[in-house]
Amino acid sequence: MNCTRCGFCLPSCPTYIQTGGNEASSPRGRIALMKAVADGKKEPDEEVEAQLNECLGCRACEPACPSGVNYGHILEQARAVIQEHKRYSVPVRVLRKTVFQWLFLDRRRMETVHRMRWMYEKTPVQKLMQKSGAFRLLPGEAALMERIMPEAAPPKQALRPPVLAVRQQQPLKKVVFFDGCLMSTMFTETNQNTLYLLEKSGCEVVVPDTQQCCGALHAHAGEADGAKKLAKTNIEAFEQIEADFIVTNAGGCGAGLKEYPFLLKEEPEWCERAKVFSEKVGDISTLLAELELPPMKLDAELVTYQPSCHLENVMKEKGNVEALLRRIEGVTYAAMPDKEQCCGSAGIYNLVQPRMAMKILDKKMADVRHVQASVIVTSNPGCLLQMKAGIEREGLADSVKAVHIVDLAAEALKQAESGVTT
């Protein structure tokens, strides 16, 4: 009801732009569709579902809205309602149950899948699959995504660190690290570099061994029950530890954790506990901006930054990654045009909406070419994979690379300490 249909959200919406100004593909249009369903003027038919599914959920419309419409909350509620009444085919039901009710509800299962992936890469199976062209038979951009996936870390390296991961005699801050399900398995090196940077900045770090997935993917997909279950598990795991800060290194996960009070709003006891929890959550870039890292140095590089939508639009943490980049000797920072526009990753959006995701990515890569940067920095794993996909699609692998800000900062710190640049 707060939406006054002023249209300030339109220029901020990637799907509105890519569809050439289709009103139904804008936040204002989608709110009108949802309101029509709520008022009984329209059935929640395939048209409504298609428009909600086409939305990236980037929430760039929220900072642009003068009326303070919390579009992200409305979208997730609408998707949850659709899920309650949606009748999927048997294969889709099996897939959704496998992903949302089995895999992401238990970290041990994620670790098992990681070990299977590592074995797949270390045996001839991967090369045989790639040479056979089997991946081209999969829908969307699955073949492209398979090529740019980071190499699986050996299972022993992917083990969760000890609960007291970093000990300090006189810590500047005591922080708890949310290490994430995908970050701890698919991006093991980034998590290890996170602990390294926290140690070098004087933090004592605890990693709760009972934490689970943040639940963001469940919430975005309308799987509210699964998201709530994971939220409660994480709140219980973290509230047992006295700490100054709950640190994340993935914008999507951080936003998911920040949203726990809304997710549990109908359960007063849990909602209050969620508020205490969420107030401590922040991105590592924000924490590092508060603390003094030792000097960092790299060979001369022109670097640009693709922000995480959820880091900026939900967590409201802006400018800290750029500030960190400017502290690295040898780095020249160039702002990407329209950097606040989503890259098209949006969780699993680039898998389920590949056509729109690639159109958005093509525009983003044109912006990368414009700044002529040799390094694209990101602050979220999905964004990192999406930018790597863009580099691959554009044939720029020999001249451009995409890295997580944590990995770049850790490399710069290690090079400064050793006195050697590469």
Side-chain angles (χ1 to χ4, degrees):
M1 294 299 295
N2 287 356
C3 179
T4 61
R5 300 184 60 79
C6 65
F8 278 95
C9 61
L10 302 182
S12 69
C13 178
T15 54
Y16 177 79
I17 294 169
Q18 289 298 328
T19 58
N22 179 19
E23 177 69 16
S25 295
S26 71
R28 181 174 70 179
R30 292 183 177 115
I31 287 174
L33 285 172
M34 289 185 276
K35 188 175 184 302
V37 172
D39 292 343
K41 296 178 180 178
K42 185 172 179 58
E43 291 296 317
D45 53 21
E46 292 183 0
E47 178 194 1
V48 174
E49 184 183 6
Q51 280 300 340
L52 298 189
N53 288 341
E54 188 187 67
C55 177
L56 291 139
C58 67
R59 297 172 70 166
C61 51
E62 292 182 18
C65 179
S67 301
V69 175
N70 201 320
Y71 175 82
H73 291 172
I74 301 170
L75 176 67
E76 289 188 357
Q77 288 174 313
R79 285 175 170 171
V81 170
I82 286 177
Q83 284 306 310
E84 290 177 9
H85 299 90
K86 178 75 174 179
R87 298 187 65 180
Y88 290 107
S89 65
V90 173
V92 174
R93 285 206 306 272
V94 170
L95 179 62
R96 289 185 70 92
K97 283 191 175 183
T98 300
V99 172
F100 295 117
Q101 298 179 29
W102 183 78
L103 181 60
F104 282 96
L105 283 184
D106 192 325
R107 279 280 297 269
R108 292 170 297 180
R109 295 168 190 157
M110 293 287 295
E111 291 164 1
T112 298
V113 171
H114 172 77
R115 287 192 292 271
M116 294 170 62
R117 178 171 164 252
W118 180 79
M119 291 175 62
Y120 159 78
E121 290 181 356
K122 296 305 174 184
T123 61
V125 176
Q126 184 181 38
K127 290 183 179 178
L128 287 172
M129 289 286 288
Q130 291 173 341
K131 288 182 179 179
S132 70
F135 290 111
R136 291 197 294 269
L137 301 176
L138 297 176
E141 298 294 330
L144 172 63
M145 300 309 292
E146 196 274 343
R147 292 200 303 274
I148 53 90
M149 291 281 278
E151 184 177 346
K156 288 185 179 179
Q157 290 184 21
L159 292 175
R160 175 170 280 170
V163 174
L164 184 55
V166 176
R167 188 189 300 271
Q168 301 276 12
Q169 289 294 330
Q170 294 181 314
L172 294 178
K173 283 186 181 292
K174 183 175 180 180
V175 304
V176 194
F177 178 36
F178 182 83
D179 60 352
C181 52
L182 287 175
M183 291 302 299
S184 61
T185 52
M186 192 179 297
F187 298 92
T188 307
E189 184 179 4
T190 304
N191 270 8
Q192 292 170 344
N193 283 332
T194 297
L195 295 177
Y196 170 75
L197 291 176
L198 292 172
E199 179 181 12
K200 291 297 182 179
S201 60
C203 295
E204 185 164 276
V205 187
V206 178
V207 185
D209 57 2
T210 55
Q211 63 177 295
Q212 294 286 350
C213 169
C214 67
L217 288 179
H218 291 76
H220 300 334
E223 298 282 344
D225 290 342
K228 290 176 183 178
K229 181 177 180 180
L230 290 166
K232 293 173 182 178
T233 298
N234 287 326
I235 291 169
E236 287 182 330
F238 282 78
E239 67 185 1
Q240 298 174 25
I241 303 165
E242 288 290 333
D244 304 307
F245 203 91
I246 298 173
V247 67
T248 72
N249 57 13
C253 293
L257 301 177
K258 280 284 192 184
E259 294 281 62
Y260 281 0
F262 171 76
L263 188 64
L264 299 170
K265 65 185 184 302
E266 295 177 357
E267 303 178 53
E269 178 189 350
W270 279 105
C271 185
E272 289 304 311
R273 293 165 71 178
K275 288 177 182 177
V276 174
F277 170 89
S278 68
E279 286 172 0
K280 292 184 177 182
V281 174
D283 189 71
I284 185 172
S285 61
T286 299
L287 180 60
L288 294 178
E290 297 177 9
L291 301 170
E292 282 297 323
L293 271 174
M296 296 178 287
K297 184 177 182 180
L298 289 173
D299 282 342
E301 297 274 16
L302 182 60
V303 177
T304 193
Y305 171 49
Q306 173 54 43
S308 158
C309 295
H310 282 173
L311 176 61
E312 298 209 345
N313 300 329
V314 182
M315 298 180 75
K316 305 291 194 296
E317 298 181 40
K318 294 186 177 184
N320 296 316
V321 172
E322 293 95 325
L324 192 57
L325 289 172
R326 292 187 178 101
R327 285 162 59 181
I328 301 175
E329 184 183 343
V331 164
T332 300
Y333 171 68
M336 189 185 300
D338 299 323
K339 66 183 178 69
E340 68 282 354
Q341 288 278 324
C342 182
C343 66
S345 171
I348 59 172
Y349 185 91
N350 53 5
L351 296 177
V352 297
Q353 298 283 338
R355 182 173 173 273
M356 180 62 73
M358 292 304 113
K359 288 177 68 175
I360 293 169
L361 179 58
D362 289 343
K363 165 63 168 65
K364 189 63 63 177
M365 294 311 298
D367 294 337
V368 170
R369 285 183 180 275
H370 177 78
V371 297
Q372 298 182 326
S374 58
V375 180
I376 308 170
V377 169
T378 71
S379 47
N380 187 60
C383 303
L384 178 61
L385 291 179
Q386 183 76 341
M387 298 315 295
K388 284 187 174 184
I391 291 169
E392 181 80 9
R393 278 167 60 89
E394 295 290 322
L396 299 175
D398 293 335
S399 57
V400 182
K401 66 177 180 178
V403 297
H404 194 289
I405 179 59
V406 163
D407 296 323
L408 188 76
E411 179 188 357
L413 186 52
K414 291 172 184 176
Q415 287 193 14
E417 286 181 336
S418 67
V420 178
T421 55
T422 57

